């Protein structure tokens, strides 16, 4: 009996994906000037061959400060210096998981620092939101205790409810006006879940919490770039409407989940099915954590209102 051969198109598609994966595995080449002369360090007196002193890292080719040094220092603050941020962003979308693995394995000098990138991108995001008229937060009434006959609502209860609303609005406003700080707090929570769910991976073995932290920071940088690129399109599609940053953030969640799959597939080298299932478990655990926080918050609010009413 003749066994039917695999479809030619499927074979070509698999070959194309295999070639693409091989190209994505290639790390960013190091751009270094080879120096073979022997030098004596002006700072610590160490004799060495090369450009940088192995004891104190002093550059043997340094000279008097010039205007170029001043320009590079200013550009470095904005991610445009010796390690351009845009080059790292390109790697984040071309070979994200492989790039993160390179960073974790010691190639930190080739890429822009993740935490610094996070703060710069958050600043660009807030600036863009202000220019496009996107509202960062809105005042909401989270505890409504003024409904019903006035004699049934004491002044202490009303005051407690207003205090809770004020605190909740302040927290929400802080969250959306400090995205980098909030992202770091989220990463400090999620790294425990990532280290647990993605343990015993083919490429990384057991990832440490510190490695998971830097990985997650780079993933969040991806999300910020997506938000920055998509915000003008979202504002254009909803012209004439009041746009909340929260609503816009929710609209691009599917893109972020897709990038999650690509990132963790390349980083940990699980199969696509395993990666998708682990990401589902990741979101389920996060959902349970959020429910627990909301539940505990409800208990605290209820206790405050009942104390104000004199019930407890």
């Amino acid at each position: 009996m003749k066994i039917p051969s695999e479809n030619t198109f499927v074979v070509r598609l698999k070959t194309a994906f295999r070639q693409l994966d091989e190209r994505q595995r290639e790390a960013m080449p190091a751009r270094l000037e080879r120096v073979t002369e022997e030098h004596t360090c002006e700072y610590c007196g160490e004799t060495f061959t090369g450009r940088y002193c192995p004891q104190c890292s002093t550059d043997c080719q340094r000279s008097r400060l010039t205007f170029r040094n001043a320009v590079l220092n200013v550009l470095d603050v904005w991610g445009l210096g010796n390690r351009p941020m845009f080059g790292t962003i390109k790697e984040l979308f071309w070979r994200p998981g492989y790039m993160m693995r390179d960073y974790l394995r010691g190639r930190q000098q080739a890429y822009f620092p993740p935490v610094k990138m996070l703060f710069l991108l958050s600043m660009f995001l807030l600036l863009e939101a202000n220019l496009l008229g996107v509202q960062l937060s809105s005042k909401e009434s989270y505890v409504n205790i003024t409904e019903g006959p006035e004699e049934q609502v004491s002044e202490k209860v009303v005051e407690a409810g207003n205090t809770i609303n004020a605190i909740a609005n302040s927290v929400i406003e802080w969250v959306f006006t400090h995205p980098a700080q909030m992202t770091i707090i989220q990463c400090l929570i999620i790294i425990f879940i990532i280290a647990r769910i993605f343990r015993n991976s083919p490429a990384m073995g057991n990832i440490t919490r510190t490695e998971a932290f830097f990985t997650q920071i780079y993933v969040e940088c991806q999300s910020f770039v997506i938000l920055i690129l998509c915000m003008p399109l979202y504002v254009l599609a909803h012209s004439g409407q009041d746009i909340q940053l929260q609503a816009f953030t929710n609209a691009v969640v599917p893109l972020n989940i897709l990038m999650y799959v690509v990132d963790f597939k390349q980083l940990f080298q699980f199969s696509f099915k395993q990666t998708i299932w682990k990401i589902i478990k990741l979101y389920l655990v996060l959902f349970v954590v959020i429910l627990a926080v909301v539940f505990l918050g409800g208990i605290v609010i209820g206790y405050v209102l009942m104390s104000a009413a004199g019930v407890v």
Side-chain angles (χ1 to χ4, degrees):
M1 181 177 178
K2 184 178 180 181
I3 301 176
S5 60
E6 193 172 9
N7 188 288
T8 306
F9 174 76
V10 175
V11 174
R12 291 180 178 178
L13 190 63
K14 288 183 178 180
T15 304
F17 274 115
R18 192 179 301 111
Q19 293 174 348
L20 176 63
D21 184 69
E22 291 175 356
R23 290 177 57 192
Q24 290 176 321
R25 289 174 183 268
E26 298 176 1
M28 180 187 296
R31 295 176 295 179
L32 299 175
E33 298 179 8
R34 300 295 179 183
V35 179
T36 57
E37 296 86 1
E38 187 175 271
H39 303 277
T40 299
C41 180
E42 298 179 2
Y43 181 72
C44 66
E46 176 76 12
T47 301
F48 63 95
T49 300
R51 178 172 176 177
Y52 297 96
C53 174
Q55 298 297 326
C56 64
S57 303
T58 299
D59 187 352
C60 69
Q61 294 185 350
R62 67 190 182 97
S63 57
R64 297 186 65 177
L65 296 176
T66 62
F67 179 74
R68 181 174 181 272
N69 298 122
V71 172
L72 287 177
N73 271 271
V74 173
L75 291 178
D76 188 62
V77 174
W78 299 98
L80 303 173
N82 293 325
R83 287 185 286 175
M85 182 172 66
F86 296 110
T88 302
I89 291 176
K90 184 193 74 172
E91 291 280 293
L92 267 179
F93 285 90
W94 166 243
R95 49 187 301 272
Y98 298 130
M99 190 220 79
M100 295 173 195
R101 197 195 309 168
D102 290 343
Y103 184 88
L104 297 179
R105 287 180 173 175
R107 290 179 56 87
Q108 288 90 4
Q109 290 298 322
Y111 304 108
F112 198 76
V115 177
K116 184 177 179 180
M117 181 191 294
L118 180 71
F119 276 89
L120 286 174
L121 290 176
S122 68
M123 184 182 63
F124 292 149
L125 178 64
L126 294 177
L127 178 62
E128 183 183 33
N130 287 324
L131 291 176
L132 296 178
V134 177
Q135 299 179 16
L136 300 181
S137 63
S138 61
K139 300 297 182 182
E140 301 287 346
S141 179
Y142 298 95
V143 179
N144 192 348
I145 43 81
T146 59
E147 293 181 352
E150 294 184 1
E151 61 272 10
Q152 296 180 6
V153 182
S154 66
E155 292 184 1
K156 289 185 177 180
V157 174
V158 174
E159 184 179 352
N162 292 335
T163 302
I164 292 173
N165 285 329
I167 294 174
N169 280 308
S170 298
V171 171
I172 296 298
E173 183 178 1
W174 185 89
V175 167
F176 285 102
T177 54
H178 299 80
Q181 293 89 329
M182 189 60 199
T183 298
I184 291 177
I185 294 174
Q186 292 174 343
C187 290
L188 292 175
I189 298 173
I190 200 174
I191 58 176
F192 294 94
I193 308 174
I194 292 177
R196 179 66 180 174
I197 292 179
F198 289 90
R199 65 187 186 279
N200 298 324
S201 65
M204 293 294 297
N206 290 326
I207 188 171
T208 66
R209 295 182 182 90
T210 303
E211 292 172 337
F213 173 78
F214 286 109
T215 298
Q216 189 61 27
I217 290 292
Y218 269 132
V219 171
E220 295 298 336
C221 287
Q222 278 184 324
S223 300
F224 277 36
V225 173
I226 292 174
L227 290 173
I228 292 171
L229 295 178
C230 293
M231 187 179 293
L233 300 177
Y234 187 85
V235 171
L236 186 63
H238 297 79
S239 58
Q241 303 178 21
D242 291 335
I243 301 175
Q244 299 287 336
L245 184 60
Q246 177 63 51
F248 166 63
T249 304
N250 294 337
V252 298
V253 165
L255 284 176
N256 292 331
I257 295 177
L258 178 62
M259 290 306 303
Y260 249 123
V261 174
V262 176
D263 296 345
F264 289 167
K265 169 66 176 68
Q266 292 184 357
L267 175 61
F268 298 108
Q269 288 296 293
F270 288 110
S271 67
F272 269 112
K273 289 183 179 179
Q274 290 176 309
T275 302
I276 292 173
W277 171 237
K278 288 180 180 294
I279 290 176
I280 291 174
K281 289 198 293 184
L282 173 64
Y283 276 97
L284 287 175
V285 174
L286 283 176
F287 180 70
V288 172
V289 172
I290 293 172
L291 280 182
V293 171
V294 172
F295 178 73
L296 292 175
I299 292 177
V300 172
I301 291 174
Y303 178 80
V304 171
L305 293 177
M306 292 174 69
S307 298
V311 178
V312 294

